[in-house]
Amino acid sequence: RLAAAAAAAAHCPLLDLPTELLARVLSSFERPADIARVAAVSLLFHASLVEEGIRLWAQERGFELPALPEGEGCAVRWLC
């Protein structure tokens, strides 16, 4: 079953959408933690896409997020 699910995910139409559009969709979520869960639930949404979604979420609400501190390995964990 897992192989079938992986094969189906490989042909997912979401992968055909531009990264900018996917980040914009993620930014419409209510909270940054909800956006971060996307990366945990699906390998289709890699950490950099989720990070961009969180940054857009903040920007759309008038927040400016600081740069990732030196030595921090996971931007998504840090931002949430």
Side-chain angles (χ1 to χ4, degrees):
R1 293 175 94 168
L2 188 57
H11 299 293
C12 180
L14 285 175
L15 295 176
D16 296 335
L17 295 174
T19 303
E20 297 81 15
L21 177 60
L22 292 172
R24 183 68 58 191
V25 169
L26 293 178
S27 75
S28 70
F29 287 19
E30 189 172 323
R31 300 176 307 145
D34 296 332
I35 299 170
R37 285 188 190 100
V38 171
V41 171
S42 176
L43 295 177
L44 295 175
F45 296 99
H46 45 83
S48 61
L49 175 61
V50 171
E51 179 184 357
E52 182 61 26
I54 292 170
R55 290 195 179 278
L56 280 172
W57 178 92
Q59 181 182 26
E60 291 166 355
R61 288 156 181 81
F63 301 112
E64 181 67 33
L65 297 177
L68 186 67
E70 188 175 324
E72 178 60 56
C74 180
V76 174
R77 180 181 61 229
W78 181 76
L79 288 171
C80 290

